[in-house]
Amino acid sequence: MCMQHNKVLILDFGSQYTQLIARRVRELNIYCEIHPFNKIPSDSDSFRAVILSGSPNSVRGEDALHPDLSNIRGKKPLLAVCYGAQYLAHFSGGEVAASNTREYGRANLDFIKTGETFFEGISQGTQVWMSHSDTIKELPTGGVLLASTEDVENAAFKIEGEDTFAIQFHPEVYHTTDGKKVLENFLVKIADIEQDWTPNAFVEETVADLKSQLGNDKVVLGLSGGVDSSVAAMLLHKAIGENLYCIFVNNGLLRKNEFQDVLMQYQGMGLNVKGVDASARFLDALAGKSDPEQKRKTIGRVFIEVFDDEANLIKDVKWLAQGTIYPDVIESVSATGGPSATIKSHHNVGGLPDFMKLKVVEPLKALFKDEVRRVGASMHMDSQLLGRHPFPGPGLAIRILGDLTAEKVRILQEVDAVFINNLRSWNLYDKVWQAGAILLPVNSVGVMGDERTYEKCVALRAVESTDGMTADWVNLPYEFLQKTSNEIINKVKGVNRVVYDISSKPPATIEWE
Ligand code: XMP
């Protein structure tokens, strides 16, 4: 990424909202990066402004997070949010204590000092969102009170003579009505940052960077049919054309007709793409395996073998391109310091086998998912391709519970196709974050005509989410469920019962395996 002149640094103290701060800043067309509070980047001088995030911790705790801000405070525009505000107060001679009154939820700002650029265009009484258990009792040296709420006296302050501002509320959450305006006032009016980080500018700069980075080198990329690898491919295609070799592997676990349809679409986009149908190889390797982790590992291993075989056919390939996006690379700050438990070992298409010795290029690694979509749209990519639901690398294998057979894959593909097509025709597809069908390892009794049947049961799952970390089941209309269930049972041979999954995550993960 270039545009060094316009970077904003967000120092993360582990708040669940840190990524939201970054997204709000970027919605203002300003580029920003998140770094852990204790790893202030060595090129911090190149950042035009700094934002301190919130945190689940207390500044008063024994394991408090206390970075040295002396190279930042007073030297460049600084906005401290929630824990950040408390830490700034603490760091600069103020006093932070446990609060006696409720400081969670909605509150209204009462401006103490009017005419401040920081609150320009925002009305007295504007709604803000609070979420903290400590409070700032005494402002730090040079602190000037800007606003209070009914329960929080020092809700916003600045440091006299500096572009340093602190707010106890969260400007990044939607409940803070004018949160985006606060960020805009700080970044544009106070820090004087230009709003020029647009999808078009990103494409232009990334393509230029890729051209100079890759020169005449050959690059191989594994397309998955998903948004990220497709947009990454398009950027590389613009930069190096035919030197980008795309490989689209059919693992036999894709949706119905997906391999053919998506391959044609890729060809229509002008990509140098090779479709490799390795369904039989995957199904053979999976035969008799019913443990979810074993299935994932097998698919990961076979994918690498197939991909490697294909990549070896390309002479002198030097780079492996991947569709890695920003949430995959943000280094997280753990409140406890310990690693988080592995719930599922995710296999993502395009993993780098050690022995390939290729250099890695990741053109999307600075972008959030919605930004990837906007970048794709600015390159006029097909909106259906860009709007596709996430689909797991191991595909239908983790939606067929237990062991796999070609017949089970066929049944699930048919069921899934009815469900997804209906979501589209009822205009529900774009309102759902992810949807799919699951083939259960149970048969149940039914009657069809005068015949007793003993056939498969399938579950339908549709969820709302922003990042897949948490998810709510979607309240699909009864008429839709009724029609879809009838259609599945009538059309798909081997299925006589349909159920709808009404579990949220946590505790129920999105995939059943
Ligand atoms: P869970 O089931 O963990 O899923 O709630 C969260 C998101 O991750 C996707 N998922 C996977 N994606 N390889 C992938 O590439 C995997 O092994 C895998 N397992 C789950 C899932 O579809 C959802 O979007």
Side-chain angles (χ1 to χ4, degrees):
M1 274 305 308
C2 34
M3 288 200 145
Q4 302 287 325
H5 51 290
N6 269 344
K7 286 196 295 187
V8 171
L9 171 62
I10 299 171
L11 283 185
D12 180 27
F13 290 91
S15 160
Q16 56 171 329
Y17 298 132
T18 305
Q19 289 196 22
L20 266 187
I21 302 182
R23 291 163 76 144
R24 297 289 164 266
V25 171
R26 287 166 175 220
E27 279 165 18
L28 294 167
N29 295 332
I30 293 174
Y31 180 65
C32 60
E33 287 176 10
I34 300 173
H35 291 266
F37 73 93
N38 52 355
K39 291 193 185 162
I40 298 179
S42 52
D43 66 338
S44 66
D45 279 352
S46 66
F47 290 88
R48 292 278 307 272
V50 179
I51 299 177
L52 307 182
S53 85
S55 173
N57 290 44
S58 162
V59 294
R60 303 171 299 112
E62 271 182 12
D63 51 355
L65 321 174
H66 285 181
D68 178 8
L69 297 179
S70 50
N71 278 332
I72 293 175
R73 213 208 93 184
K75 307 220 161 92
K76 54 180 74 206
L78 174 65
L79 173 62
V81 174
C82 194
Y83 176 95
Q86 293 161 8
Y87 180 56
L88 179 76
H90 174 88
F91 176 82
S92 315
E95 191 197 332
V96 175
S99 68
N100 304 323
T101 49
R102 172 183 167 276
E103 297 190 4
Y104 181 82
R106 292 175 175 79
N108 297 92
L109 274 194
D110 181 16
F111 298 134
I112 306 297
K113 195 164 179 306
T114 51
E116 282 291 318
T117 309
F118 188 70
F119 285 127
E120 208 172 284
I122 301 174
S123 312
Q124 184 77 277
T126 186
Q127 178 183 294
V128 295
W129 181 261
M130 295 284 190
S131 174
H132 53 102
S133 49
D134 277 356
T135 201
I136 299 166
K137 285 265 183 279
E138 291 282 340
L139 290 184
T141 322
V144 179
L145 185 61
L146 299 182
S148 304
T149 68
E150 202 179 316
D151 292 320
V152 181
E153 189 192 352
N154 297 318
F157 65 89
K158 68 174 183 180
I159 307 263
E160 192 67 68
E162 295 178 12
D163 284 337
T164 301
F165 296 83
I167 48 186
Q168 281 280 318
F169 59 89
H170 287 271
E172 66 277 20
V173 304
Y174 281 116
H175 303 298
T176 297
T177 319
D178 291 306
K180 201 163 160 185
K181 186 83 193 136
V182 170
L183 290 171
E184 186 179 352
N185 286 344
F186 171 69
L187 294 170
V188 180
K189 298 205 168 118
I190 292 165
D192 198 23
I193 299 178
E194 264 173 73
Q195 294 170 283
D196 56 5
W197 195 69
T198 60
N200 282 334
F202 175 85
V203 172
E204 221 171 274
E205 296 205 3
T206 305
V207 169
D209 285 355
L210 289 171
K211 271 188 183 153
S212 72
Q213 183 183 14
L214 302 171
N216 284 324
D217 288 355
K218 289 184 185 167
V219 178
V220 63
L221 176 144
L223 283 169
S224 70
V227 183
D228 304 338
S229 65
S230 306
V231 174
M234 209 51 199
L235 282 166
L236 282 150
H237 174 70
K238 275 181 177 288
I240 60 167
E242 293 291 297
N243 270 344
L244 172 68
Y245 290 77
C246 300
I247 298 172
F248 181 31
V249 176
N250 184 6
N251 56 13
L253 304 160
L254 302 175
R255 297 194 134 116
K256 188 181 172 188
N257 296 334
E258 185 167 11
F259 181 61
Q260 298 81 346
D261 292 353
V262 176
L263 188 58
M264 268 175 55
Q265 201 170 11
Y266 283 145
Q267 286 159 344
M269 285 156 58
L271 294 178
N272 172 12
V273 56
K274 178 169 179 192
V276 180
D277 189 354
S279 316
R281 198 159 157 185
F282 280 90
L283 281 183
D284 280 353
L286 285 165
K289 299 205 162 84
S290 54
D291 173 69
E293 286 304 287
Q294 226 193 348
K295 290 200 294 191
R296 276 194 171 78
K297 293 208 165 88
T298 305
I299 293 166
R301 174 178 56 76
V302 178
F303 179 84
I304 287 173
E305 287 168 13
V306 173
F307 189 80
D308 185 47
D309 286 353
E310 288 302 322
N312 274 328
L313 299 176
I314 311 163
K315 276 213 169 68
D316 301 329
V317 60
K318 294 236 164 53
W319 298 81
L320 175 82
Q322 292 187 300
T324 315
I325 63 171
Y326 198 39
D328 303 330
V329 298
I330 299 175
E331 222 182 310
S332 59
V333 172
S334 142
T336 56
S340 55
T342 305
I343 313 278
K344 293 177 187 178
S345 66
H346 282 201
H347 151 66
N348 287 305
V349 170
L352 180 65
D354 286 345
F355 53 85
M356 277 179 71
K357 306 274 178 278
L358 296 176
K359 292 185 269 184
V360 177
V361 54
E362 299 173 312
L364 304 178
K365 72 165 189 262
L367 301 187
F368 289 108
K369 190 90 176 181
D370 47 333
E371 294 169 337
V372 174
R373 292 202 165 99
R374 283 204 291 278
V375 163
S378 84
M379 293 190 288
H380 308 291
M381 290 174 67
D382 178 62
S383 58
Q384 252 200 26
L385 179 66
L386 295 177
R388 286 182 129 206
H389 290 169
F391 188 68
L396 300 182
I398 54 171
R399 294 182 182 168
I400 295 172
L401 307 195
D403 67 320
L404 265 100
T405 60
E407 174 62 2
K408 288 183 184 172
V409 174
R410 182 202 64 81
I411 292 179
L412 190 59
Q413 281 179 332
E414 297 296 334
V415 171
D416 178 79
V418 173
F419 185 32
I420 299 296
N421 288 343
N422 283 353
L423 284 172
R424 285 203 192 279
S425 58
W426 282 60
N427 281 331
L428 291 166
Y429 185 88
D430 293 330
K431 300 188 177 105
V432 167
W433 190 78
Q434 187 173 20
I438 299 98
L439 186 67
L440 307 184
V442 280
N443 279 27
S444 81
V445 174
V447 277
M448 277 202 186
D450 291 332
E451 297 275 312
R452 174 190 187 274
T453 61
Y454 188 57
E455 294 179 327
K456 291 269 173 275
C457 174
V458 293
L460 306 181
R461 182 131 171 83
V463 295
E464 281 165 4
S465 178
T466 45
D467 50 14
M469 301 296 287
T470 59
D472 283 323
W473 60 277
V474 180
N475 206 337
L476 291 173
Y478 279 167
E479 297 73 26
F480 169 87
L481 290 171
Q482 187 180 32
K483 182 175 175 301
T484 304
S485 152
N486 278 346
E487 199 177 329
I488 290 170
I489 292 171
N490 286 329
K491 279 195 184 159
V492 186
K493 206 165 155 277
V495 174
N496 70 356
R497 192 175 296 268
V498 178
V499 298
Y500 186 52
D501 183 348
I502 52 166
S503 344
S504 289
K505 175 184 178 177
T509 51
I510 296 175
E511 305 295 347
W512 281 40
E513 280 198 340

